[in-house]
Amino acid sequence: MILKDRVALVTGAGSGIGRASAAILAREGAHVVIVDRQADSAAASLAVIEAEGGRAEMLVADVTDDGALEAGINGVLARHGRIDILHNHAGAQVEGDLESVSLDGFDRSWDLNVRSHFLAARLVVPAMKAAGRGVILNTSSSSGILYDREMIAYTTTKHAVIAMTRQMAGDYGKFGIRVNALCPGWVDTPFNDPFIRQLGGREALEAYIRDRVPLGRWGSVEEVAESVLFLVSDRSSYMTGQVLVVDGGETVV
């Protein structure tokens, strides 16, 4: 087990990629803190991990609520004495171009996709510095390196995540803290619903994927979770400030 006895906190772990990531970290020996704003979703992820013999706990919190996030992370630190791995995964798509996206939607995108990552990292870094090591993984998106049709809020925030990741990596490498970004491509989860609405239906998105993704298919949450495991484990011990794109080749065409 390559993460034996490490404490890992995963935000947005109640479904999709977040759940698959929490599960694979637990499978490799980590004690996983499942963070999600929906108690039933967090409980479902907990059940998956426990059914496989893993160790986990739930932290039901909205990561855009500064007080709740701070109290939750401080509670984990008080109980376990450390957080070895932080995977900032919680995020949302908000559709619309410059003229049509709502201001509330743009602000919500920023708060969830960028600011909550920033604050969670800020809260765990002191303990990582004291330990002389730690790993932070921020989820961006293939939209963080591409133009994404009429998705200005989403692409802006996901580009910002990459810039923030590189800045964190440069500032905190001297403390033994590694910070990288993960850019998933098309993965078949409800997360894509805004883009499906924008294209006019699921069939249109599936046609887009067949046409634009060299592998010609969706990725699976399990495939992305394998990349998460690589980035948060010692298998990537000499990587920091990097962006790993897992998109079936979309960004190369």
Side-chain angles (χ1 to χ4, degrees):
M1 291 187 175
I2 61 175
L3 299 178
K4 183 174 172 56
D5 296 329
R6 296 187 193 178
V7 178
L9 188 146
V10 183
T11 71
S15 62
I17 293 171
R19 176 179 292 173
S21 297
I24 200 170
L25 302 190
R27 211 172 293 133
E28 288 295 335
H31 178 94
V32 180
V33 182
I34 299 162
V35 185
D36 202 273
R37 64 176 182 166
Q38 301 290 344
D40 56 348
S41 298
S45 295
L46 179 64
V48 168
I49 290 172
E50 291 183 337
E52 295 181 342
R55 296 175 299 143
E57 62 186 82
M58 292 167 44
L59 172 54
V60 179
D62 182 343
V63 294
T64 65
D65 180 333
D66 292 358
L69 184 60
E70 182 172 9
I73 288 177
N74 286 343
V76 173
L77 289 169
R79 289 191 297 278
H80 299 284
R82 68 189 198 280
I83 293 174
D84 304 295
I85 297 164
L86 168 65
H87 181 194
N88 279 314
H89 180 69
Q93 282 187 359
V94 174
E95 68 265 41
D97 62 14
L98 176 64
E99 296 170 285
S100 63
V101 68
S102 71
L103 291 178
D104 286 345
F106 190 93
D107 290 343
R108 182 165 67 87
S109 294
W110 185 264
D111 288 346
L112 183 55
N113 295 349
V114 183
R115 193 177 186 281
S116 72
H117 290 25
F118 164 84
L119 184 57
R122 181 182 177 117
L123 291 167
V124 303
V125 153
M128 290 181 175
K129 286 170 69 176
R133 62 174 294 161
V135 179
I136 298 171
L137 176 60
N138 297 318
T139 296
S140 177
S141 167
S142 57
S143 298
I145 56 176
L146 289 173
Y147 153 78
D148 204 345
R149 170 180 157 178
E150 296 175 0
M151 282 279 187
I152 192 169
Y154 189 63
T155 57
T156 297
T157 57
K158 292 304 185 178
H159 277 72
V161 168
I162 291 174
M164 183 172 66
T165 295
R166 288 173 170 157
Q167 183 69 39
M168 289 179 182
D171 288 342
Y172 288 91
K174 62 188 175 185
F175 299 109
I177 300 170
R178 298 190 299 109
V179 190
N180 291 297
L182 175 72
C183 290
W186 294 106
V187 178
D188 192 6
T189 75
F191 187 81
N192 297 305
D193 288 350
F195 203 84
I196 290 172
R197 287 195 300 269
Q198 190 177 75
L199 285 178
R202 182 181 174 89
E203 288 184 3
L205 178 54
E206 290 185 339
Y208 174 92
I209 291 170
R210 286 193 300 271
D211 180 57
R212 296 292 299 275
V213 176
L215 290 184
R217 64 173 177 85
W218 300 89
S220 71
V221 294
E222 290 79 15
E223 286 174 312
V224 178
E226 291 286 351
S227 297
V228 171
L229 177 62
F230 169 70
L231 289 171
V232 303
S233 73
D234 290 342
R235 290 175 178 172
S236 59
S237 59
Y238 200 53
M239 282 181 65
T240 194
Q242 300 305 307
V243 178
L244 182 61
V245 182
V246 186
D247 69 345
E250 182 184 14
T251 55
V252 303
V253 297

